[in-house]
Amino acid sequence: MNIQVTSDLSVSDLSIHSAGGRIVSDISLALGRGQPLTLLGESGSGKSLVAQAIMGNLPPELHATGHVMFKGADLLDESPTDPRRRWGRSIGLLPQEPWLALDPTMPVLPQVTEIHRYVKGRAAAESATAAKRNLSEVSLSSAEALYPFQISGGMGQRAAIAMAHAADSELLIADEPTKGLDTMLRDSVVARLREEVDSGRLLLTITHDVAVARALGGTIGVMLDGRLVEYGPAEKLFEAPEHAYTKALLSSEPSQWERRAPAASGGLVIAGRGLKKSYGGNPLFSDLDIEVSAGEIVSVLGPSGCGKTTIGNILLGLTSPDAGVVERTAGLSSLRFQKLYQDPPAAFAPHQTIRKALKDLARLHGKHWKVIEELQDRLRLPASLLDRLPGQISGGELQRFALLRALLLEPAFLFADEATSRLDPVSQMEVVTFLMEIVRETGLAVLMVTHDLHMAERISTRVVTLETGAAHAAMR
């Protein structure tokens, strides 16, 4: 695809190669002030690799060819140490995984303060004041003294956004900036990104969220299998998409799904009675009753940080309630109660290949490799990914491997914590369809945490709506 590139950032004929061949091919695009650029596409399509090539932090086993022109220099011609001088100064990254971006040994406020103090060179008092303001802007004033492990995935994402804003770099690359956020916070983050554009910053956004791409406007590039299949003004692309994949992407949003919630096919598998939980004196919920029977999907809906994940963790015995009891079907092994984590990197050993992790699990529990291959096919996970490390595949692909791993143990109950937040609409619809097939085939009981009201309404037997300090169950 040939595109004239004469803007502040221009990418021409960018290809990314691995030992097995090209995995991203002939990408050309342009980014100018006042005109944000968004790369939209499915997990594993190469969007984040393009961003990594621009940043100069591709994995060592990959290399890029072509040209990336920024501030009069071809970034691909620089030595490996040169890009680091730009990080946090002229080029800033809002990373896809807050779990990997935040320092687990420091509270949130000092992490933002350090950027003002050591990157921007401000005085200590001024840095602390500016950091407090950054956290307030993303509604995290109450989390200043908390460590990353004490906050939700959505709160961690907002902390990363505050850090990116503090850096105030000329070019901001936002990689999936709204995953794990409820609609209100997602819209506030998009508004913040628009403010960055209006203030003169260059903005490249990587996302699978069609609503985010539509709200940002500007220019849209749609990627599929490492190629740019459609590129042009947002208004034109959304009103009259040309490529078949773009059309499928737009028609696969949960708001377009038909309601297909499963009905219970068996008795009660797990229940919480009179549950109460507070953190730091702040109540999350009280007198909460929740139950999940075989063959049904119960969704928990609510804003980021309201306690959705805590409910599932209490049911699994990972967290103790302040009051209330948990009931489980007698005779079921604890291995049959599984969790699908919101942040998949937290669930995989970083220095172990996916193949090794799955082989070890299969050997430990007497499972045949053929079962893994069948689940791979159903989840659209190519065998070529098996010999990569968790950090070498996309968040969406890693989440699907996490689902495969959980299902391999034939669970009776699955707590799916934002199980589809990293998936584009097409992949999300495929994974949800697959999960519903498993529910109907096996009688699996699912508790699903989600921020997506449309999805919850269409696939759930019941929806528990959670607000700060209160919860109620509602049939939808």
Side-chain angles (χ1 to χ4, degrees):
M1 184 176 294
N2 294 319
I3 300 170
Q4 296 298 317
V5 283
T6 57
S7 299
D8 298 276
L9 172 73
S10 66
V11 177
S12 56
D13 300 321
L14 173 66
S15 294
I16 299 172
H17 309 258
S18 69
R22 286 200 296 186
I23 52 179
V24 170
S25 301
D26 303 322
I27 303 297
S28 294
L29 45 85
L31 175 58
R33 299 181 193 281
Q35 187 75 0
L37 170 63
T38 301
L39 292 182
L40 184 64
E42 68 179 13
S43 172
S45 63
K47 307 183 304 296
S48 294
L49 288 177
V50 171
Q52 288 177 309
I54 294 171
M55 282 287 296
N57 68 333
L58 280 171
E61 68 275 8
L62 304 180
H63 72 278
T65 58
H67 302 281
V68 177
M69 303 300 300
F70 178 61
K71 296 176 71 68
D74 190 338
L75 302 186
L76 296 188
D77 285 343
E78 295 184 329
S79 69
T81 58
D82 287 341
R84 294 178 181 273
R85 300 192 186 103
R86 302 180 186 274
W87 294 354
R89 294 173 174 84
S90 60
I91 301 179
L93 175 68
L94 177 56
Q96 182 174 154
E97 298 293 349
W99 180 271
L100 301 177
L102 300 175
D103 185 339
T105 68
M106 293 177 62
V108 172
L109 179 61
Q111 296 195 49
V112 184
T113 302
E114 280 194 344
I115 297 173
H116 291 285
R117 186 81 174 93
Y118 299 112
V119 177
K120 310 308 290 186
R122 298 189 172 110
E126 182 186 1
S127 297
T129 299
K132 286 177 177 289
R133 184 171 61 250
N134 294 144
L135 290 174
S136 175
E137 288 169 346
V138 291
S139 303
L140 280 182
S141 295
S142 61
E144 292 178 356
L146 298 180
Y147 288 84
F149 69 86
Q150 295 175 310
I151 61 179
S152 71
M155 294 167 76
Q157 186 72 348
R158 283 182 277 154
I161 290 167
M163 294 170 70
H165 182 65
D168 194 29
S169 54
E170 187 174 349
L171 167 63
L172 175 61
I173 301 175
D175 193 359
E176 298 290 0
T178 61
K179 64 174 178 52
L181 300 184
D182 60 83
T183 301
M184 183 176 69
L185 285 174
R186 180 198 68 190
D187 292 345
S188 70
V189 168
V190 170
R192 160 64 63 184
L193 293 176
R194 284 293 323 181
E195 290 175 9
E196 304 290 347
V197 173
D198 294 340
S199 69
R201 295 178 78 182
L202 302 172
L203 176 65
L204 170 62
T205 303
I206 310 295
T207 187
H208 60 252
D209 192 325
V210 174
V212 170
R214 186 180 284 112
L216 287 173
T219 304
I220 306 291
V222 179
M223 290 192 65
L224 176 67
D225 295 332
R227 295 183 179 276
L228 200 60
V229 297
E230 193 157 354
Y231 183 84
E235 299 84 356
K236 178 178 182 297
L237 185 141
F238 287 123
E239 290 176 7
E242 297 179 358
H243 196 274
Y245 174 71
T246 309
K247 295 176 182 178
L249 196 65
L250 301 183
S251 65
S252 298
E253 293 182 272
S255 60
Q256 306 300 313
W257 297 0
E258 293 182 1
R259 177 170 167 77
R260 44 182 176 160
S265 59
L268 186 68
V269 175
I270 196 166
R273 311 291 187 193
L275 299 180
K276 177 182 179 181
K277 188 66 178 179
S278 299
Y279 277 115
N282 298 315
L284 291 178
F285 47 81
S286 60
D287 297 320
L288 173 65
D289 293 329
I290 186 169
E291 57 183 40
V292 191
S293 296
E296 69 175 0
I297 298 175
V298 175
S299 289
V300 182
L301 190 72
S304 174
C306 68
K308 302 185 300 297
T309 298
T310 301
I311 292 175
N313 286 342
I314 288 174
L315 293 180
L316 287 176
L318 300 175
T319 299
S320 298
D322 298 335
V325 295
V326 174
E327 301 173 359
R328 293 184 178 184
T329 299
L332 287 177
S333 164
S334 59
L335 288 174
R336 302 201 61 198
F337 293 81
Q338 290 290 318
K339 177 176 179 178
L340 188 59
Y341 285 79
Q342 181 175 0
D343 291 302
F348 285 85
H351 303 299
Q352 184 183 65
T353 65
I354 300 297
R355 184 187 300 276
K356 180 71 164 59
L358 293 177
K359 275 192 170 182
D360 287 349
L361 185 68
R363 186 183 305 113
L364 180 64
H365 297 286
K367 304 297 181 180
H368 294 291
W369 187 257
K370 184 177 180 181
V371 177
I372 293 175
E373 292 177 334
E374 291 172 351
L375 288 170
Q376 273 183 249
D377 290 341
R378 295 181 73 173
L379 285 166
R380 253 189 348 118
L381 287 166
S384 59
L385 299 179
L386 288 171
D387 294 311
R388 298 185 189 178
L389 297 173
Q392 295 171 337
I393 64 178
S394 73
E397 290 165 336
L398 194 58
Q399 187 69 311
R400 280 182 276 166
F401 271 118
L403 177 58
L404 182 157
R405 187 176 62 179
L407 294 176
L408 186 63
L409 297 180
E410 301 177 359
F413 171 75
L414 177 66
F415 171 35
D417 191 3
E418 293 288 357
T420 63
S421 66
R422 285 161 176 75
L423 304 179
D424 67 279
V426 173
S427 298
Q428 179 175 251
M429 186 165 66
E430 290 175 349
V431 168
V432 168
T433 298
F434 166 65
L435 185 59
M436 295 181 73
E437 290 172 358
I438 295 295
V439 167
R440 290 191 170 97
E441 291 170 11
T442 68
L444 174 66
V446 177
L447 179 69
M448 179 175 286
V449 162
T450 182
H451 287 113
D452 194 319
L453 172 62
H454 295 296
M455 185 172 70
E457 288 179 331
R458 283 155 177 76
I459 71 169
S460 306
T461 311
R462 292 187 307 284
V463 177
V464 175
T465 304
L466 194 65
E467 298 175 354
T468 303
H472 65 274
M475 291 294 293
R476 296 180 184 271

